Amino acid sequence: MITKFKNYQELSKFAAGKIVQLVKNKPAAVLCLAGGDTPALTYDIVVEIAMAESVSFAAVTFIGLDEWVGIERAMPGSCYHFLQQKIFDPLHIQQHQVHFFDSGAHDLQKECDRINKSLENAGCLDLALVGIGLNGHIGFNEPGVDPLLKAHVVELDQLTTATGQKYFTTSTALALGITLGMAQILEARNVMLMASGKKKAAIIRKALQEPVSNAVPASLIASHANTLVLLDDEAAAEL
Ligand code: GLP
């Protein structure tokens, strides 16, 4: 289902409301939350509502979506650091609640196995909140990805490494990513795919209106029965 909002604020309010409602209904929910600019305001609003309404996130499990390989967790620009600032610290999330890729690990395959196991142990994602890359990627599932893959390491598309510079204050070498696989995201009970702004309009049109294909991984998500596609007017401009 596609829902349009008049602007980024309305889109973010809606998404935040959904997250908080899910945790109210299911305090032990399993959440997978994307990094990136798009959900930033959503997370601020989640924290605001959770504080105002004393909604506890103490039983929630967080499964990491993706990370830049070689970017330490503590480094601004890492997906972990972003979520730590936006969600984990403000909501007093304990370390045992968070299962996130350590992309500085020596053995990245072991990291994938570890996160696959964490997700298996948690059961199933209750919600995956994902953004969309300019090339249609989801997490770091880049164009052409095998949709049956679970967590894996991936060579990043040039557009991804170029766009990724926006998260870092100085030019940063980015080449590989580590990510949950499409199979795991597609198994989520609910998926929210968010897009905001003019620059996302063309890829949103491809993801929603061209034949479903792993050439645009977001099209696999968008066509999924449990997916809510949330767009602001600018991102929906080419539909
Ligand atoms: C990034 C991340 C994704 C994110 C997407 C969109 O590279 N790997 O998890 O959802 O690209 O990012 P943004 O919201 O900043 O446009």
Side-chain angles (χ1 to χ4, degrees):
M1 198 173 89
I2 304 173
T3 309
K4 292 185 208 168
F5 299 88
K6 69 171 190 277
N7 57 37
Y8 177 61
Q9 284 69 22
E10 295 301 313
L11 165 85
S12 306
K13 257 193 243 168
F14 179 88
K18 285 279 184 198
I19 295 170
V20 176
Q21 196 53 50
L22 172 62
V23 174
K24 279 183 180 170
N25 293 344
K26 186 172 183 184
V30 182
L31 305 183
C32 173
L33 303 179
D37 290 337
T38 311
L41 181 58
T42 299
Y43 300 152
D44 292 345
I45 301 173
V46 165
V47 170
E48 256 173 53
I49 308 177
M51 278 159 70
E53 299 182 12
S54 303
V55 183
S56 171
F57 278 62
V60 169
T61 296
F62 293 89
I63 304 283
L65 174 64
D66 57 2
E67 189 57 279
W68 308 99
V69 167
I71 303 297
E72 297 290 330
R73 286 181 170 197
M75 188 170 163
S78 75
C79 299
Y80 182 88
H81 184 266
F82 172 79
L83 286 170
Q84 184 180 35
Q85 302 285 309
K86 288 282 178 191
I87 288 278
F88 303 153
D89 284 356
L91 293 177
H92 310 294
I93 303 302
Q94 305 295 305
Q95 268 186 4
H96 70 86
Q97 294 176 253
V98 180
H99 305 269
F100 215 95
F101 294 108
D102 176 2
S103 75
H106 171 66
D107 186 339
L108 292 173
Q109 186 50 51
K110 260 200 189 146
E111 268 311 283
C112 293
D113 297 344
R114 183 177 69 79
I115 294 297
N116 286 340
K117 196 86 209 137
S118 301
L119 179 51
E120 265 171 51
N121 292 342
C124 168
L125 296 174
D126 289 296
L127 173 68
L129 174 68
V130 297
I132 178 172
L134 292 173
N135 61 1
H137 73 210
I138 295 291
F140 280 136
N141 289 278
E142 296 281 36
V145 68
D146 175 351
L148 299 177
L149 282 181
K150 293 188 174 182
H152 60 282
V153 176
V154 54
E155 197 172 318
L156 296 171
D157 194 278
Q158 231 184 342
L159 185 55
T160 303
T161 56
T163 312
Q165 297 302 322
K166 70 177 175 167
Y167 306 118
F168 300 92
T169 47
T170 54
S171 165
T172 302
L174 304 170
L176 300 176
I178 185 167
T179 184
L180 283 191
M182 294 303 287
Q184 292 160 311
I185 301 168
L186 288 166
E187 270 172 15
R189 293 195 173 90
N190 300 283
V191 180
M192 290 199 293
L193 167 60
M194 302 176 80
S196 165
K198 283 200 282 282
K199 61 182 187 307
K200 295 287 170 74
I203 193 64
I204 281 295
R205 179 183 48 72
K206 282 192 188 159
L208 301 186
Q209 295 186 331
E210 288 186 5
V212 173
S213 154
N214 67 344
V216 180
S219 69
L220 301 167
I221 296 283
S223 61
H224 189 243
N226 302 337
T227 297
L228 266 185
V229 180
L230 309 178
L231 306 173
D232 65 11
D233 268 354
E234 289 187 344
E238 294 189 22
L239 297 180

